[in-house]
Amino acid sequence: MRALAEFGLIGAYAEGRGTALEGMMSELLTVVRSEERDDVAPDGSDVRILARVDAGGTAEFSLAPDCISRAVRHRTIEEVWFVIEGRGSIWRKRGDLEEVTDLAPGTSVTIPVGTSFQFRSTPGVALRILGATMPPWPGDGESIPVTGPWTPTV
């Protein structure tokens, strides 16, 4: 409930303007994760599309062992990632702030709108990440190629 309040949704619902919540919960959707990838992300990672609502979507992103994604920046979306399996690192740059963060199971990172990023897996282990995208992925043209610190392999 606190998260909804932070986005102003509880107040709108309590005042009888429940359309924000109703729009987010308009469908009861069940998605079973595909064994095969559904798509390839602009960064080159494999994508398995999961459930989505009006406010956002989820997907699993994966890199095979010892792979490096292409560096990109999103125009309009932000993401929250949670590492499910494997190890690696992610480079993120936003304005003057730049960092490389280790990725391991249980690690969660954010990719705010306009942040350049690139990620890689370690040798011998595939990297699997659960990602939430807000708003849902809009399609072609969302990602802009950028120059990252590592040479892509995908």
Side-chain angles (χ1 to χ4, degrees):
M1 295 294 270
R2 184 174 147 218
L4 293 175
E6 289 174 359
F7 290 105
L9 297 179
I10 292 297
Y13 192 75
E15 296 169 11
R17 295 179 289 125
T19 55
L21 283 177
E22 290 166 9
M24 286 175 47
M25 297 187 294
S26 58
E27 290 186 57
L28 297 176
L29 183 62
T30 301
V31 176
V32 177
R33 179 192 170 277
S34 172
E35 288 300 317
E36 299 296 320
R37 71 179 184 207
D38 295 310
D39 206 347
V40 176
D43 61 30
S45 62
D46 289 342
V47 178
R48 287 169 182 81
I49 299 170
L50 303 171
R52 70 182 273 173
V53 293
D54 292 344
T58 56
E60 178 188 298
F61 307 102
S62 61
L63 279 179
D66 203 23
C67 285
I68 302 171
S69 75
R70 293 186 288 271
V72 297
R73 181 178 70 239
H74 295 151
R75 296 176 190 266
T76 64
I77 64 162
E78 57 189 346
E79 293 184 327
V80 177
W81 287 9
F82 178 78
V83 179
I84 301 168
E85 180 179 69
R87 296 196 177 277
S89 53
I90 183 171
W91 164 79
R92 294 175 288 172
K93 184 176 192 310
R94 185 172 182 207
D96 293 336
L97 182 60
E98 182 175 14
E99 65 182 38
V100 174
T101 303
D102 289 337
L103 298 175
T107 303
S108 183
V109 297
T110 61
I111 304 172
V113 174
T115 301
S116 297
F117 69 97
Q118 183 178 29
F119 64 110
R120 63 185 179 180
S121 60
T122 58
V125 183
L127 181 61
R128 290 181 46 224
I129 297 167
L130 173 65
T133 302
M134 295 141 302
W137 186 258
D140 292 341
E142 173 60 28
S143 285
I144 304 164
V146 297
T147 300
W150 308 306
T151 302
T153 62
V154 296

